[in-house]
C-alpha cells in the first residue's frame, strides 16, 4: 500500500512539475506503430503523422528541433547500466558505458552505439555553427555534438533526455 501511495505521489509531482515522464510509458509505445528496439530500417514518416503519435513535448524537441531546459531532463544525472534508445522510434543510440558526467545540463556521451545509430547535419541557428545529431532511423533531432569530450573520442554528444528512452541492463533482452 505504501509503495502505491508513493508512486501516485511521484506521478502527481511529475505532472505538476511539467516533467511529462509519463510520455515514455507503455501506453505511449503501444500507440506508436513505428517504435521498435530491434528493427533498424530507416523510417520515412511525415511530421503530420508523428504529431498525432508523439506527446507535444517530444514532438517539439524531436521533430521541430527545440531544446529542453538545461538540468531538467530525467537522464541528466542517471548513473545506471543499460542502453539509451530513440524515444520516437526505438533505435539503439548509446550505451550507458559511454555516458559521462558534465556540467552542461544535458546527458552526455562520448560515442554512439554504432556509426549508423546517428546522423549529422550542419546547424547554423542562433548565430553559431554546430553539428546537430539526428536519429539514424527516424531523423529525429536528439541534440548536438561538440569536440570537448573525454577520451577516447574527444566528443560530447549533448542529448535531450526527452528524446531518449533508457532501458536498464536487467531488462534488455
Amino acid at each position: 500500500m505504501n509503495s502505491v501511495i508513493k508512486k501516485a505521489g511521484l506521478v502527481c509531482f511529475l505532472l505538476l512539475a511539467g516533467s511529462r515522464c509519463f510520455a515514455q510509458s507503455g501506453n505511449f509505445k503501444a500507440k506508436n506503430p513505428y517504435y521498435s528496439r530491434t528493427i533498424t530500417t530507416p523510417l520515412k514518416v511525415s511530421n503530420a503523422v508523428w504529431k498525432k503519435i508523439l506527446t507535444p513535448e517530444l514532438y517539439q524537441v524531436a521533430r521541430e528541433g527545440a531544446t529542453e531546459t538545461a538540468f531538467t531532463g530525467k537522464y541528466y544525472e542517471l548513473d545506471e547500466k543499460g542502453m539509451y534508445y530513440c524515444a520516437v522510434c526505438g533505435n539503439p543510440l548509446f550505451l550507458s558505458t559511454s555516458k559521462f558526467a558534465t556540467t552542461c545540463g544535458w546527458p552526455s556521451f562520448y560515442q554512439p552505439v554504432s556509426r549508423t545509430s546517428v546522423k549529422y547535419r550542419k546547424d547554423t541557428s542562433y548565430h553559431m555553427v554546430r553539428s546537430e545529431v539526428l536519429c539514424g532511423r527516424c531523423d529525429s533531432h536528439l541534440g548536438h555534438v561538440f569536440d570537448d569530450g573525454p577520451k577516447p573520442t574527444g566528443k560530447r554528444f549533448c542529448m535531450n533526455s526527452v528524446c531518449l528512452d533508457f532501458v536498464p541492463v536487467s531488462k534488455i533482452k
Side-chain angles (χ1 to χ4, degrees):
M1 181 76 166
N2 256 350
S3 66
V4 171
I5 293 170
K6 286 180 185 175
K7 285 181 186 177
L10 178 60
V11 169
C12 289
F13 170 76
L14 292 174
L15 290 173
L16 290 172
S19 173
R20 296 197 188 206
C21 289
F22 62 91
Q24 305 308 317
S25 70
N27 290 339
F28 163 73
K29 291 175 199 160
K31 292 178 182 176
N32 184 348
Y34 306 104
Y35 191 94
S36 172
R37 293 187 188 139
T38 57
I39 300 171
T40 57
T41 307
L43 291 170
K44 297 297 177 203
V45 179
S46 72
N47 277 347
V49 171
W50 285 127
K51 194 166 192 168
K52 293 176 185 174
I53 297 170
L54 305 177
T55 64
E57 182 182 27
L58 180 55
Y59 180 82
Q60 185 180 20
V61 176
R63 304 308 304 174
E64 295 182 342
T67 301
E68 68 187 1
T69 304
F71 305 102
T72 64
K74 60 187 169 186
Y75 300 129
Y76 169 59
E77 294 184 308
L78 181 69
D79 187 23
E80 190 174 342
K81 300 281 189 238
M83 174 79 82
Y84 291 86
Y85 297 88
C86 175
V88 174
C89 72
N91 188 41
L93 298 172
F94 300 97
L95 292 170
S96 62
T97 53
S98 71
K99 188 172 189 275
F100 63 98
T102 68
T103 57
C104 70
W106 294 275
S108 297
F109 306 86
Y110 61 80
Q111 70 184 11
V113 73
S114 75
R115 285 185 299 194
T116 58
S117 293
V118 298
K119 298 177 184 178
Y120 307 94
R121 179 167 59 195
K122 185 176 181 179
D123 178 1
T124 57
S125 61
Y126 302 107
H127 307 290
M128 294 184 276
V129 177
R130 304 179 287 176
S131 291
E132 180 182 14
V133 179
L134 306 169
C135 173
R137 182 168 183 241
C138 70
D139 292 329
S140 287
H141 169 80
L142 302 170
H144 293 87
V145 63
F146 303 96
D147 291 324
D148 60 356
K151 292 181 180 180
T153 65
K155 302 290 184 191
R156 175 172 52 97
F157 288 81
C158 188
M159 304 291 99
N160 290 288
S161 285
V162 70
C163 295
L164 302 175
D165 184 16
F166 177 75
V167 178
V169 73
S170 62
K171 294 187 179 181
I172 297 175
K173 296 175 183 173

